[in-house]
Amino acid sequence: MLRYSSRLCDLVRSSMRSIWTVSTCEHNLCLSHDQDDPQYLKFPFVWLRDNCQCPKCFHPPSNSRVIHIQQFNFDAVPKKTEISENHVHIEWTDKHVSDYPLSWLIERQFTEIGRKTWKENYGRRKQLSWTAKDFSRILKTFKFNKILENDNELYDWLEVLAARGVAIVEGAALKEGEVTKLADRVAFLKKTQYGEVFRVEAKPDTTNVAYLNGPLQLHTDLPYYEYKPGVNLLHCIIKAEEGGENQLSDCLAVAKAIKSTNPGTYSILKDTPVIWSDLCTEEGRSFHSVHISPIIKENEDGIIERINFSQPQRDSHLNIPLEKVQCWYNALRMFSQKLYSPEYCVEYMLEPGQILTFDNLRLVHGRMHYEGGRLIEGAYLDWDHIYSRLRILQSKYT
Amino acid sequence: MLRYSSRLCDLVRSSMRSIWTVSTCEHNLCLSHDQDDPQYLKFPFVWLRDNCQCPKCFHPPSNSRVIHIQQFNFDAVPKKTEISENHVHIEWTDKHVSDYPLSWLIERQFTEIGRKTWKENYGRRKQLSWTAKDFSRILKTFKFNKILENDNELYDWLEVLAARGVAIVEGAALKEGEVTKLADRVAFLKKTQYGEVFRVEAKPDTTNVAYLNGPLQLHTDLPYYEYKPGVNLLHCIIKAEEGGENQLSDCLAVAKAIKSTNPGTYSILKDTPVIWSDLCTEEGRSFHSVHISPIIKENEDGIIERINFSQPQRDSHLNIPLEKVQCWYNALRMFSQKLYSPEYCVEYMLEPGQILTFDNLRLVHGRMHYEGGRLIEGAYLDWDHIYSRLRILQSKYT
């Protein structure tokens, strides 16, 4: 574990070996050293003043900038700068005085390598796509009790979940409440209209197709939420007498394949808004959820941030111009064919005591028809809290 | 209330007065009538087949499409079409038979007016921006007990909250637990690292600047969450002896003003990623949340979907190239000056028993310095559930 955090530390540590001098040039403070590999780090005055660490500007217990933005001097200019004992001191023309540890500045350098290293360290993990042939290799199993007791096991489980989008936790007791214990190690469960936890079993008079014992098509859960659950926890308490295997496909791999062989189709999947909706009654309360989002949702950096897919919850209203309808269905056909193809789709039979954990923003999951009293307890976690836990664990050991 | 839903009904109702005939043209079913105002509605074959309402394709109790996408005939072509008793019947070349109520089809028409009306009806509301001079006019007050008992009052409160981003609920008891009752009428509270509800009061040794009695700068709550709470509920239980007024600015109005007078500045605020972070300990557990998002976050349609702003929780790491730093601070200066200017910023003194409810994705809020034992109970709701409740209430009365 902890391979990520070390990179940023390494960057700072290696820089700290040099002898640095300080100067100013234009609107920047300039740190330089003339070792074998000369380096110049520039820090804009306005940024330095904004991040002054003195008690008037910064409140350490809350780790917060406290200077009032209305009183902030956006035009501050240093009158005097010096470096001593690995600290940079600035006296500003308005008489304010600031002091920055050299290592603190180096960690915040505006260079490409500095910014990239920070992102790798504190941002979202790089996701590694997989296809069916990789599955047995990439599927890692973690011990339920070990996660509950050991931070390293917890960290490793969450790292694998972030990178691969799927992991098995085994050894949970054959009773309800185990997913809650698991979630408590991370933060807390995400509540939805189905409650904090939900029982997946055949129910009479259901308003949800998941509660029938027929096959459940490949889908993401709750695509009709803007704040769709990040991770599913499906705990097998009672296994079906026959059938009930889970199916999984990594949409990241499917999307990549389509993008490289059929870029036009990829664009249609990415740019066509689709209406996802759900009208249901849970414990006497009705919900009508609607969210509009393409099947492949990229963020502003072109990284896939969310996959939306669900036959039952794709609305009959298709809010696009007539002339775009046929092309979109052609794209849907290609996407769904790949999802189900043996190249991408795997089957996995959950054994009692196992918890299938997977990324609901990235993978689709399904279930085969079954017979007999299968019982799954399900719950959700959000990525906000998973990454928070990863950062805390990471900093604890560096 | 219910002005939204009626538009879609009106559209369908007025169309139903005509005598329609059915035909096919290219890949579409064509509905037409030759009244004074001739109209042609086209429905692609593939869409019709995808939305067949027969029991094999559609499961009414769950309101779900159940035909398996692997068995779906993407190339279905009608063999015979007819219209009778306000139903369109299709016999497909593969012998499948479909039947659609005429009104159901008209509601799903692919025309611009049809699609626009659907969006107004089921999508997110149009947000109406306001400045300080409008505030006394747009600020509506709703009765706590009436919301608890009366669906119309509940609907009206949520409508105002969606359109204006702020509303007062008054008449809550002077004890904790009232925000939970209010949330239960909508759906349920959104839990964060601060719990389901939180007490805002001066606390010793706090790791959160909100729990000091000093002035709290204008900010949005939890910008460091990807799933940032949608709506704040702040219930005044004990008023400060002196001070403690809330401040509010509608960032939608501020953003609009900047966009029209300084489009370059607007682009910088919209396109520059900012790191929002929080490192805190709540009841013995540590959290380190990080989210990267610009101050003004637009969706793919160019509509502002989220404002991020918080001095204390803006990270000291600024992950942008050096040459962009000064321009971004210039934009920050303009944005913050407008937020605090008397043109946009209002002050409001919450009285005991009042609950200030506002859109945390759109407004910034702050608080003046205070003296004495002020106590606020706070909580959050998500827009997913607010809109779900609006749709349910809307359909109940149409």
Side-chain angles (χ1 to χ4, degrees):
Chain A
M1 69 174 280
L2 306 181
R3 63 204 158 83
Y4 277 99
S5 58
S6 61
R7 282 191 211 147
L8 195 58
C9 296
D10 288 351
L11 183 75
V12 174
R13 244 181 251 130
S14 73
S15 296
M16 290 297 287
R17 284 187 213 112
S18 308
I19 308 294
W20 292 85
T21 57
V22 66
S23 61
T24 62
C25 44
E26 292 178 334
H27 299 291
N28 302 306
L29 182 96
C30 193
L31 288 177
S32 57
H33 69 73
D34 52 3
Q35 305 300 105
D36 304 344
D37 175 22
Q39 214 183 345
Y40 304 91
L41 299 178
K42 291 181 178 178
F43 300 92
F45 297 152
V46 65
W47 175 84
L48 284 163
R49 184 57 178 265
D50 185 35
N51 293 293
C52 173
Q53 300 288 295
C54 86
K56 280 185 189 160
C57 298
F58 189 78
H59 181 242
S62 63
N63 201 42
S64 291
R65 180 184 295 102
V66 286
I67 184 166
H68 202 293
I69 201 164
Q70 286 185 287
Q71 272 94 56
F72 179 63
N73 182 359
F74 280 87
D75 305 308
V77 175
K79 189 173 150 194
K80 193 175 143 195
T81 60
E82 61 174 19
I83 191 162
S84 70
E85 291 173 2
N86 284 332
H87 276 242
V88 173
H89 311 279
I90 302 181
E91 203 185 307
W92 303 88
T93 50
D94 63 6
K95 298 202 166 46
H96 196 80
V97 174
S98 304
D99 182 290
Y100 311 87
L102 187 56
S103 59
W104 186 95
L105 283 174
I106 289 168
E107 195 198 308
R108 284 156 183 80
Q109 61 187 269
F110 288 86
T111 59
E112 213 173 310
I113 177 75
R115 294 189 291 120
K116 189 167 162 271
T117 309
W118 181 89
K119 262 203 169 175
E120 283 171 3
N121 203 356
Y122 289 108
R124 300 268 161 136
R125 297 291 186 262
K126 190 173 163 55
Q127 297 185 321
L128 306 168
S129 64
W130 51 266
T131 61
K133 69 173 169 28
D134 312 316
F135 189 65
S136 62
R137 180 176 56 81
I138 67 101
L139 186 69
K140 304 290 180 210
T141 300
F142 301 88
K143 302 279 181 209
F144 182 82
N145 282 333
K146 211 170 160 193
I147 290 177
L148 259 48
E149 291 157 14
N150 181 306
D151 281 350
N152 267 290
E153 189 82 353
L154 172 62
Y155 183 93
D156 288 345
W157 167 49
L158 298 178
E159 270 284 325
V160 165
L161 201 50
R164 292 297 187 177
V166 61
I168 298 287
V169 176
E170 67 176 18
L174 304 186
K175 60 180 186 184
E176 293 175 56
E178 297 292 270
V179 287
T180 309
K181 288 184 199 162
L182 200 58
D184 282 348
R185 281 289 283 157
V186 180
F188 45 85
L189 290 170
K190 179 194 176 73
K191 194 170 179 176
T192 70
Q193 62 206 47
Y194 307 106
E196 286 203 330
V197 296
F198 49 91
R199 288 164 62 98
V200 186
E201 60 188 331
K203 297 177 188 177
D205 302 326
T206 183
T207 63
N208 190 319
V209 292
Y211 302 151
L212 303 169
N213 71 339
L216 196 55
Q217 301 189 49
L218 289 173
H219 67 286
T220 60
D221 275 6
L222 285 79
Y224 43 81
Y225 269 27
E226 182 182 11
Y227 287 180
K228 174 170 142 165
V231 163
N232 296 40
L233 309 173
L234 295 178
H235 174 206
C236 178
I237 298 173
I238 304 171
K239 190 178 165 180
E241 282 161 28
E242 216 186 299
E245 297 88 347
N246 276 107
Q247 293 175 300
L248 293 168
S249 287
D250 182 9
C251 297
L252 207 60
V254 169
K256 264 189 188 177
I258 294 177
K259 192 173 184 177
S260 85
T261 56
N262 298 73
T265 299
Y266 183 86
S267 295
I268 291 168
L269 292 167
K270 172 175 78 65
D271 296 331
T272 308
V274 179
I275 301 167
W276 310 96
S277 73
D278 183 63
L279 183 59
C280 75
T281 301
E282 289 293 324
E283 305 197 346
R285 301 190 82 180
S286 296
F287 294 90
H288 187 182
S289 304
V290 175
H291 181 61
I292 305 176
S293 187
I295 289 179
I296 298 175
K297 172 85 167 67
E298 284 188 355
N299 70 11
E300 51 281 5
D301 297 326
I303 291 167
I304 295 175
E305 64 176 17
R306 167 173 175 158
I307 296 290
N308 298 295
F309 200 78
S310 175
Q311 273 286 88
Q313 290 145 350
R314 185 160 49 75
D315 202 283
S316 55
H317 295 83
L318 184 54
N319 212 259
I320 60 176
L322 186 77
E323 62 274 17
K324 294 193 171 180
V325 174
Q326 186 63 52
C327 293
W328 182 77
Y329 273 100
N330 293 345
L332 173 67
R333 178 181 348 206
M334 180 182 288
F335 189 78
S336 64
Q337 279 173 348
K338 282 210 187 296
L339 287 189
Y340 280 99
S341 81
E343 195 181 342
Y344 297 100
C345 188
V346 297
E347 275 177 29
Y348 186 85
M349 177 61 93
L350 263 186
E351 296 300 326
Q354 286 191 324
I355 304 174
L356 175 61
T357 68
F358 60 94
D359 185 342
N360 185 51
L361 305 185
R362 166 179 166 184
L363 266 63
V364 285
H365 65 290
R367 184 198 63 212
M368 313 295 272
H369 171 92
Y370 68 89
E371 295 292 338
R374 182 177 186 262
L375 175 61
I376 300 284
E377 184 176 49
Y380 301 115
L381 280 171
D382 274 340
W383 283 108
D384 277 320
H385 307 122
I386 294 174
Y387 273 106
S388 166
R389 186 59 47 221
L390 278 171
R391 289 183 201 103
I392 292 292
L393 293 172
Q394 187 171 291
S395 68
K396 227 170 137 177
Y397 299 103
T398 49
Chain B
M1 69 175 280
L2 306 181
R3 62 203 158 83
Y4 278 98
S5 57
S6 61
R7 282 190 212 147
L8 195 57
C9 296
D10 288 351
L11 183 75
V12 174
R13 244 181 252 130
S14 73
S15 296
M16 289 297 287
R17 284 186 212 113
S18 308
I19 308 293
W20 292 85
T21 57
V22 65
S23 61
T24 61
C25 44
E26 292 179 332
H27 300 290
N28 302 306
L29 181 95
C30 193
L31 287 177
S32 57
H33 69 73
D34 52 3
Q35 305 300 105
D36 304 344
D37 175 22
Q39 214 183 346
Y40 303 91
L41 299 179
K42 291 180 177 178
F43 300 92
F45 297 152
V46 65
W47 175 83
L48 284 163
R49 184 57 178 266
D50 184 36
N51 292 293
C52 173
Q53 300 288 295
C54 86
K56 280 185 190 161
C57 298
F58 189 78
H59 181 244
S62 63
N63 201 43
S64 291
R65 180 185 294 102
V66 286
I67 183 165
H68 202 293
I69 202 163
Q70 286 185 288
Q71 272 94 55
F72 178 63
N73 182 358
F74 280 87
D75 305 308
V77 175
K79 189 174 151 194
K80 193 176 141 194
T81 61
E82 61 174 19
I83 191 163
S84 70
E85 291 173 2
N86 284 332
H87 276 242
V88 173
H89 311 279
I90 302 181
E91 202 185 307
W92 303 87
T93 50
D94 63 6
K95 298 201 166 48
H96 196 80
V97 174
S98 304
D99 181 290
Y100 311 87
L102 187 57
S103 60
W104 186 95
L105 283 174
I106 289 168
E107 196 198 308
R108 284 157 183 79
Q109 61 188 269
F110 288 86
T111 60
E112 212 172 311
I113 177 76
R115 294 189 290 119
K116 190 168 162 270
T117 309
W118 181 88
K119 262 203 170 177
E120 283 171 3
N121 204 355
Y122 290 108
R124 300 268 161 137
R125 296 292 186 262
K126 190 173 162 56
Q127 297 185 321
L128 306 168
S129 64
W130 51 266
T131 61
K133 70 172 168 28
D134 312 316
F135 189 65
S136 61
R137 180 177 56 81
I138 68 100
L139 186 69
K140 304 290 181 209
T141 300
F142 301 89
K143 302 280 181 209
F144 182 82
N145 282 333
K146 212 170 159 193
I147 290 178
L148 258 49
E149 291 157 13
N150 181 305
D151 281 350
N152 266 291
E153 188 82 352
L154 173 61
Y155 183 93
D156 287 345
W157 167 49
L158 297 178
E159 270 283 324
V160 165
L161 201 50
R164 293 297 188 176
V166 60
I168 298 287
V169 175
E170 67 176 18
L174 304 185
K175 60 179 186 186
E176 293 175 56
E178 297 291 270
V179 286
T180 308
K181 288 184 199 162
L182 201 58
D184 282 348
R185 281 289 283 157
V186 180
F188 45 85
L189 291 170
K190 179 194 176 73
K191 193 170 179 176
T192 70
Q193 62 206 47
Y194 307 107
E196 286 203 330
V197 295
F198 48 90
R199 289 164 62 99
V200 186
E201 60 187 331
K203 296 177 189 177
D205 302 327
T206 183
T207 63
N208 190 320
V209 291
Y211 302 152
L212 302 169
N213 72 340
L216 196 55
Q217 301 189 50
L218 289 173
H219 67 286
T220 60
D221 274 7
L222 284 78
Y224 43 81
Y225 269 28
E226 182 182 12
Y227 287 180
K228 174 170 141 166
V231 163
N232 296 40
L233 309 173
L234 295 179
H235 174 205
C236 178
I237 298 174
I238 303 171
K239 190 178 165 180
E241 281 161 29
E242 216 186 299
E245 297 88 348
N246 276 108
Q247 293 175 301
L248 293 168
S249 287
D250 182 9
C251 297
L252 207 60
V254 169
K256 265 190 187 175
I258 294 176
K259 192 173 185 177
S260 84
T261 57
N262 298 73
T265 300
Y266 183 86
S267 295
I268 291 168
L269 291 167
K270 172 175 78 65
D271 296 331
T272 308
V274 179
I275 301 167
W276 310 96
S277 74
D278 183 64
L279 183 59
C280 75
T281 302
E282 290 292 324
E283 304 196 346
R285 300 190 82 180
S286 296
F287 293 89
H288 187 182
S289 304
V290 175
H291 181 61
I292 305 176
S293 187
I295 288 179
I296 298 174
K297 173 86 168 67
E298 285 188 356
N299 70 10
E300 50 281 5
D301 298 325
I303 290 167
I304 295 175
E305 65 176 17
R306 167 173 175 158
I307 296 290
N308 298 295
F309 200 78
S310 175
Q311 273 286 89
Q313 290 145 350
R314 186 160 50 74
D315 202 283
S316 55
H317 296 83
L318 183 55
N319 211 260
I320 60 176
L322 186 76
E323 62 274 17
K324 293 193 171 179
V325 174
Q326 185 63 53
C327 293
W328 182 77
Y329 273 101
N330 293 345
L332 173 67
R333 179 182 346 207
M334 180 182 288
F335 189 78
S336 64
Q337 278 173 349
K338 281 209 187 297
L339 287 189
Y340 280 99
S341 81
E343 195 182 342
Y344 297 99
C345 187
V346 296
E347 275 177 29
Y348 187 85
M349 177 61 93
L350 264 186
E351 296 300 326
Q354 286 191 324
I355 304 174
L356 175 61
T357 68
F358 60 93
D359 185 343
N360 185 50
L361 305 185
R362 165 179 167 185
L363 265 63
V364 284
H365 65 290
R367 184 199 63 213
M368 313 295 272
H369 171 91
Y370 67 89
E371 295 292 337
R374 182 177 186 262
L375 175 61
I376 300 284
E377 185 176 49
Y380 302 115
L381 280 171
D382 274 340
W383 282 108
D384 276 320
H385 308 122
I386 294 174
Y387 273 106
S388 166
R389 186 58 49 219
L390 278 171
R391 289 183 201 103
I392 292 292
L393 293 173
Q394 187 171 292
S395 68
K396 228 170 136 176
Y397 299 103
T398 48

